[in-house]
Amino acid sequence: MSADLALALPAHLPADLPLQAWGQTLQLLVELGGTAAFALSGVMEAARKRLDPVGVCVVGCLAAFGGGTVRDLLLDQRPFFWVSHESTLWAVLLLCALSMLFLRDRHFSITERAMLWPDALGLGLFTAAGVHQSIAADMPALVTVLLGVITGTFGGVLRDMVCNEIPAVLKDHRPYALCAFAGAWLCLGLVALGLPGWISVLACVALTAGSRGLAVRR
Amino acid sequence: MSADLALALPAHLPADLPLQAWGQTLQLLVELGGTAAFALSGVMEAARKRLDPVGVCVVGCLAAFGGGTVRDLLLDQRPFFWVSHESTLWAVLLLCALSMLFLRDRHFSITERAMLWPDALGLGLFTAAGVHQSIAADMPALVTVLLGVITGTFGGVLRDMVCNEIPAVLKDHRPYALCAFAGAWLCLGLVALGLPGWISVLACVALTAGSRGLAVRR
Amino acid sequence: MSADLALALPAHLPADLPLQAWGQTLQLLVELGGTAAFALSGVMEAARKRLDPVGVCVVGCLAAFGGGTVRDLLLDQRPFFWVSHESTLWAVLLLCALSMLFLRDRHFSITERAMLWPDALGLGLFTAAGVHQSIAADMPALVTVLLGVITGTFGGVLRDMVCNEIPAVLKDHRPYALCAFAGAWLCLGLVALGLPGWISVLACVALTAGSRGLAVRR
């Protein structure tokens, strides 16, 4: 079963089947934006912890690819996103190197504030991606939703665990995983209603990123 | 090989083959008791660390399902217990919500003391489940025993790692993994002697939970 | 695909295909040396953290087998090294027991200094093993190199995470993963040039261990 899936779903999002209408270019653009935002959050965490350059790159990659990799491990799906799209691995390493140079001169606070929206966008998109992968793998409803949340949040969990912190998502007291949880149920519901995939992705991203953005604004 | 196993062993315990005589109802009851005890330990740890509600649920689920999931990852077996028995996932989330309400009013010490016996029972049962799964997967003897111990203890290890603690099982200086280790060897030995599965499970649970109970009493 | 691989590559290194000429005895000896060095590093870390005997054994095994296990999980390869070579598991547990007795009487500093070279050797050899496994699994270039680095370093990362430390490899500011990174590229390059496997392994070990040894000397 999983072997068939691996053939049918070579990419992060099940692009061939329900998302055709959405446009692969737009999809890839937003996905790369999410990956970049998560990678940046890893780089900043690593810099705050005074890790060396290797540490910055490792934490950046964990934050960017960790959520999707944990989901694929649980679903027993190969290849991983960073294996089938090796170029994103290069891009994240380059981003880590560039932001190390950049962070040496600037204050963190500016970047951290600017990062909230791309991070919220990435959360929404990764959640939608996880939900669609789980639907394709025939998971039950709650498992589907939780795998969506795991895809969106476990990059940050691994980032914080490696940096010897309690994961921010577990103790922040501002909704983060909850936004992804709501978005994942919406996404699953719209797919169950028979709507095309791109509508469910857009709705999930809008609800997740929107509620997260509102929660942070206050 | 692993594909056949996944078909032959849809549940946590290889219920069809050697445990038939034991009664599926009793088995499921005790297993759910163990899951609940481990989930409670996660909730209490999370509450002590002042995690938010999301954190309480995540740590509760990690403690309840972490050990079996790590074992299934290592054995390359799907579906996980919480996928094939989605209702336990709902139950653990509900338990987390209820205990959050409950813990707000009560002291921890009472619950913690009351938890020692179900936790010891859960340890014994999860260890036996791990040993039986590994035997079914044709693992060598020491690997079988260690996978039994991993099934019993890694929920707690993941719980403590996420909460930024050194896992209690590694530094407690009271036997815990050792009890599971002894029980796993006993379980493996009885199966090797050709005794029916339910005897080996009962003996493993009795030795593991009994020795753990004695160790904690003192 | 991965099922064929598991049959074709029962051992840690793809010994049948490109390494025949190198001699299996020498290979196994050096590999066991690396495993022992990493296990020792785990034991010492655990002792420094005042873990109990169970903790010492767990951290020792994580350090010795963690890197290869993470790589095999990511490549979806079974059986693990410690499953197909169960004797190494016994050996590492014995080593942990012996070194617990030994460390009670001696100072750490002597052993720690003596460990640097076997650790560097182990890093080089595990990196080469990871690169060869990834090549056999048809991974792209950068993924191959990173899986080599992961094989060499993630035992130490897991060791430090369980001991509630930021992994040394991420904050040491002395090259460690970088040595493995350089060695992995060299190993990949030599294989791509069509040279026999044992030359690439030797070159990778020489570059990795050599540069690491120099970095530590200063």
Side-chain angles (χ1 to χ4, degrees):
Chain A
M1 190 189 82
S2 64
D4 299 359
L5 273 174
L7 293 175
L9 302 170
H12 199 42
L13 277 170
D16 317 295
L17 313 166
L19 290 175
Q20 267 174 332
W22 196 39
Q24 297 221 344
T25 316
L26 178 60
Q27 172 198 331
L28 205 63
L29 273 179
V30 190
E31 188 160 337
L32 290 180
T35 302
F38 281 134
L40 263 180
S41 77
V43 168
M44 286 169 51
E45 177 92 4
R48 213 154 36 198
K49 287 280 184 176
R50 312 247 163 249
L51 301 189
D52 60 20
V54 168
V56 170
C57 291
V58 169
V59 177
C61 287
L62 268 182
F65 300 116
T69 302
V70 168
R71 181 205 57 212
D72 288 346
L73 272 177
L74 294 176
L75 285 176
D76 204 10
Q77 280 181 3
R78 303 287 188 292
F80 298 121
F81 181 59
W82 47 274
V83 171
S84 57
H85 295 75
E86 192 200 4
S87 51
T88 59
L89 206 45
W90 282 109
V92 166
L93 288 182
L94 192 69
L95 186 76
C96 292
L98 285 179
S99 49
M100 268 188 279
L101 293 175
F102 185 75
L103 284 174
R104 208 163 278 177
D105 308 324
R106 285 263 224 156
H107 291 295
F108 291 162
S109 52
I110 303 170
T111 325
E112 194 164 358
R113 189 148 185 77
M115 236 189 56
L116 285 173
W117 275 103
D119 179 77
L121 199 68
L123 176 67
L125 205 94
F126 277 18
T127 301
V131 167
H132 274 266
Q133 288 266 26
S134 305
I135 291 173
D138 255 337
M139 292 289 130
L142 182 59
V143 174
T144 297
V145 168
L146 290 184
L147 283 173
V149 176
I150 284 174
T151 308
T153 59
F154 259 56
V157 168
L158 290 176
R159 175 198 66 203
D160 293 345
M161 282 179 74
V162 152
C163 287
N164 203 17
E165 296 275 350
I166 296 181
V169 63
L170 304 183
K171 63 160 190 189
D172 190 27
H173 290 272
R174 287 184 304 185
Y176 185 80
L178 267 185
C179 304
F181 193 70
W185 278 114
L186 179 64
C187 183
L188 179 62
L190 294 178
V191 169
L193 287 176
L195 289 170
W198 63 272
I199 290 186
S200 67
V201 171
L202 277 187
C204 173
V205 171
L207 178 57
T208 304
S211 58
R212 172 61 182 168
L214 282 176
V216 171
R217 263 290 163 84
R218 277 178 304 173
Chain B
M1 188 189 79
S2 65
D4 299 358
L5 274 174
L7 293 175
L9 302 170
H12 198 41
L13 276 172
D16 316 295
L17 313 165
L19 291 174
Q20 266 173 330
W22 196 41
Q24 298 221 343
T25 317
L26 178 60
Q27 172 198 331
L28 204 64
L29 274 180
V30 190
E31 188 159 341
L32 290 180
T35 302
F38 282 134
L40 263 180
S41 78
V43 168
M44 287 170 49
E45 176 92 5
R48 215 156 33 201
K49 287 280 182 176
R50 313 247 162 250
L51 301 189
D52 60 21
V54 168
V56 171
C57 291
V58 169
V59 176
C61 287
L62 267 183
F65 300 117
T69 303
V70 167
R71 180 205 57 213
D72 288 346
L73 273 177
L74 293 178
L75 285 176
D76 204 10
Q77 281 180 4
R78 303 288 187 293
F80 298 121
F81 182 59
W82 46 274
V83 172
S84 56
H85 295 75
E86 191 200 5
S87 50
T88 60
L89 206 47
W90 282 108
V92 166
L93 287 181
L94 192 68
L95 186 77
C96 292
L98 286 179
S99 50
M100 268 187 278
L101 293 175
F102 186 75
L103 284 174
R104 208 163 279 177
D105 308 324
R106 287 262 224 157
H107 290 294
F108 290 163
S109 52
I110 304 170
T111 325
E112 193 162 1
R113 187 145 188 79
M115 234 189 57
L116 285 173
W117 275 104
D119 179 77
L121 200 67
L123 176 66
L125 205 94
F126 277 18
T127 301
V131 168
H132 273 266
Q133 288 267 28
S134 305
I135 290 173
D138 255 339
M139 291 289 130
L142 182 59
V143 174
T144 297
V145 168
L146 290 183
L147 283 173
V149 176
I150 284 173
T151 309
T153 59
F154 258 58
V157 168
L158 290 176
R159 174 198 68 202
D160 294 345
M161 281 179 74
V162 152
C163 287
N164 204 17
E165 297 276 350
I166 296 181
V169 63
L170 304 183
K171 62 159 190 189
D172 190 25
H173 290 273
R174 289 184 304 184
Y176 184 80
L178 267 185
C179 304
F181 194 70
W185 277 114
L186 178 65
C187 183
L188 179 63
L190 293 178
V191 169
L193 287 175
L195 290 170
W198 64 272
I199 290 187
S200 67
V201 170
L202 277 187
C204 173
V205 170
L207 178 57
T208 303
S211 59
R212 172 62 182 167
L214 283 177
V216 171
R217 263 289 162 83
R218 279 178 303 171
Chain C
M1 188 188 80
S2 63
D4 299 359
L5 273 175
L7 294 175
L9 301 170
H12 199 41
L13 276 170
D16 316 295
L17 313 167
L19 291 175
Q20 267 173 330
W22 196 39
Q24 298 219 348
T25 317
L26 178 60
Q27 172 198 332
L28 204 64
L29 273 180
V30 190
E31 189 160 338
L32 291 179
T35 302
F38 281 134
L40 264 180
S41 78
V43 169
M44 288 169 49
E45 177 93 3
R48 215 154 35 199
K49 286 280 183 177
R50 313 247 161 249
L51 301 189
D52 60 19
V54 168
V56 170
C57 291
V58 169
V59 176
C61 286
L62 268 183
F65 300 116
T69 303
V70 168
R71 180 205 57 212
D72 288 347
L73 273 177
L74 294 177
L75 285 176
D76 204 9
Q77 280 180 4
R78 302 289 188 290
F80 297 121
F81 182 59
W82 47 275
V83 171
S84 56
H85 296 75
E86 192 201 4
S87 50
T88 59
L89 206 45
W90 281 108
V92 166
L93 287 181
L94 192 69
L95 186 76
C96 291
L98 286 179
S99 49
M100 267 188 279
L101 294 175
F102 187 73
L103 284 173
R104 208 163 279 177
D105 308 325
R106 286 262 223 158
H107 290 295
F108 291 162
S109 52
I110 302 169
T111 325
E112 194 163 359
R113 187 145 187 79
M115 235 189 58
L116 286 174
W117 275 102
D119 179 76
L121 199 66
L123 176 67
L125 206 94
F126 277 18
T127 302
V131 167
H132 274 266
Q133 288 266 28
S134 306
I135 291 173
D138 255 338
M139 292 289 130
L142 182 58
V143 174
T144 297
V145 168
L146 290 184
L147 283 174
V149 176
I150 284 174
T151 308
T153 60
F154 259 57
V157 168
L158 290 176
R159 176 198 66 201
D160 294 344
M161 282 179 74
V162 153
C163 287
N164 204 16
E165 297 276 351
I166 297 181
V169 62
L170 304 183
K171 63 160 189 188
D172 189 26
H173 288 274
R174 287 184 304 184
Y176 184 80
L178 267 185
C179 304
F181 194 70
W185 277 115
L186 178 63
C187 183
L188 179 63
L190 293 178
V191 169
L193 287 176
L195 290 170
W198 63 271
I199 291 186
S200 67
V201 170
L202 277 187
C204 173
V205 171
L207 178 58
T208 303
S211 58
R212 173 61 182 167
L214 282 176
V216 171
R217 264 286 164 85
R218 278 180 302 174

